[in-house]
């Protein structure tokens, strides 16, 4: 059983599946892709903010819980921070298990827990000029 | 004592700061700190009521005692994925 978690700057470029694992009868990969709209409004991407030490820790804990709870063999999870353009991958999860049901259930549980628990925030960016607007505002103490 | 509380996401945007200073008297518990944040930073009240406080990157109980050296963060309305 293994857990591998990382937070990367910008879009996730390497989302290839994991090498074969003895005993695995199922491998499931999920790629969360930034949509080009937020509601009815077109956007150019999402700006992800993280409280990184805690996000990293909670992601690893949630993956470990998923392994115990669903009996899957391994989980590899990558989440983006900072700006991710529309159409690019911002979340990648790869789960291997003996049987497909365990991987499917673990994937759903993990994504929902991540959205509920992990200190990661996303902000829709409507215009390229706004890519780092939140950081600029905060650094200057206001706008 | 003065506690610095880290802010993120909508809470940070509400006050346009990435952290705020909060004066905390005894008892220096987490629930007292939550109350003090709301009193001293009214624009953060909604985020305190809908969020949780983390101390040293871990969610803590309301009764947890805050130490001067602790890193405290207001975690509210997360939206990852």
């Amino acid at each position: 059983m293994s857990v591998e978690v990382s937070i990367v700057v910008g879009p996730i470029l390497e989302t290839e599946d994991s090498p074969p694992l003895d005993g695995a009868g199922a491998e499931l990969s999920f790629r969360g892709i930034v949509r080009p709209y937020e509601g009815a409004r077109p956007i150019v991407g999402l700006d992800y903010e993280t409280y990184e030490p805690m996000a990293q820790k909670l992601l690893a804990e949630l993956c470990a819980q998923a392994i115990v709870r669903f009996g899957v063999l391994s989980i590899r999870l990558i989440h983006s921070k900072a700006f991710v353009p529309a159409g690019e991958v911002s979340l990648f999860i790869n789960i291997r298990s003996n049987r497909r049901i365990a991987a499917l259930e673990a994937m759903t549980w993990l994504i929902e827990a991540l959205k509920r628990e992990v200190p990661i925030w996303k902000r829709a960016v409507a215009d390229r000029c706004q890519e780092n607007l939140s950081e600029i505002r905060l650094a200057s103490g206001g706008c | 004592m003065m506690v610095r509380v880290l802010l993120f996401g909508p809470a940070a945007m509400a006050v346009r700061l990435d952290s705020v200073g909060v004066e905390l008297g005894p008892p220096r518990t987490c629930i007292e700190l939550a109350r003090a944040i709301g009193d001293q930073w009214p624009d953060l009240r909604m985020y305190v009521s809908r969020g949780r406080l983390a101390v040293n990157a871990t969610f803590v109980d309301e009764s947890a005692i805050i130490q001067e050296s602790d890193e405290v963060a207001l975690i509210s309305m997360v939206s990852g994925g």
Side-chain angles (χ1 to χ4, degrees):
Chain A
M1 290 183 290
S2 71
V3 168
E4 194 184 318
V5 165
S6 56
I7 295 173
V8 300
V9 177
I12 300 162
L13 303 175
E14 293 181 27
T15 60
E16 75 280 4
D17 295 337
S18 302
L21 176 73
D22 284 348
E27 174 165 355
L28 183 63
S29 288
F30 171 85
R31 291 168 182 82
I33 299 166
V34 174
R35 283 184 292 265
Y37 52 85
E38 179 80 1
R41 190 171 61 113
I43 62 169
V44 297
L46 291 174
D47 188 30
Y48 288 91
E49 183 184 7
T50 67
Y51 178 25
E52 195 159 344
M54 188 170 180
Q56 185 89 29
K57 191 169 86 166
L58 277 179
L59 286 172
E61 284 176 11
L62 288 174
C63 289
Q65 282 178 37
I67 281 183
V68 171
R69 190 172 180 140
F70 299 97
V72 298
L73 299 172
S74 72
I75 302 179
R76 191 157 65 93
L77 186 154
I78 308 171
H79 201 299
S80 292
K81 66 177 179 181
F83 182 73
V84 179
E88 301 282 352
V89 176
S90 61
L91 172 64
F92 173 74
I93 305 175
N94 176 270
I95 299 179
R96 290 178 297 187
S97 62
N98 290 325
R99 298 184 177 277
R100 67 182 158 80
I101 289 293
L104 289 164
E105 289 179 349
M107 184 69 81
T108 300
W109 180 88
L110 185 56
I111 294 171
E112 287 175 2
L114 181 161
K115 286 177 171 287
R116 194 177 54 242
E117 304 274 338
V118 180
I120 298 174
W121 296 264
K122 61 188 172 197
R123 185 180 59 86
V125 178
D127 185 289
R128 285 275 178 197
C129 300
Q130 292 185 310
E131 279 181 25
N132 296 307
L133 187 59
S134 59
E135 287 73 16
I136 293 165
R137 278 182 177 157
L138 295 173
S140 63
C143 59
Chain B
M1 70 178 180
M2 182 64 73
V3 178
R4 187 134 297 273
V5 179
L6 304 179
L7 304 174
F8 303 90
M13 292 307 289
V15 291
R16 292 177 177 155
L17 292 168
D18 55 12
S19 69
V20 291
V22 180
E23 185 59 40
L24 178 66
R28 291 166 177 159
T29 58
C30 207
I31 194 166
E32 286 303 320
L33 177 59
R35 191 169 295 134
I37 295 170
D39 289 345
Q40 294 168 41
W41 296 89
D43 288 344
L44 293 177
R45 261 182 213 148
M46 178 178 78
Y47 302 99
V48 172
S49 67
R50 294 184 187 177
R52 298 169 70 183
L53 288 173
V55 177
N56 301 324
T58 302
F59 287 123
V60 292
D61 293 335
E62 292 181 339
S63 59
I65 302 291
I66 309 290
Q67 308 291 337
E68 202 146 13
S69 58
D70 286 339
E71 180 175 282
V72 180
L74 174 59
I75 308 295
S76 68
M77 301 155 83
V78 300
S79 59

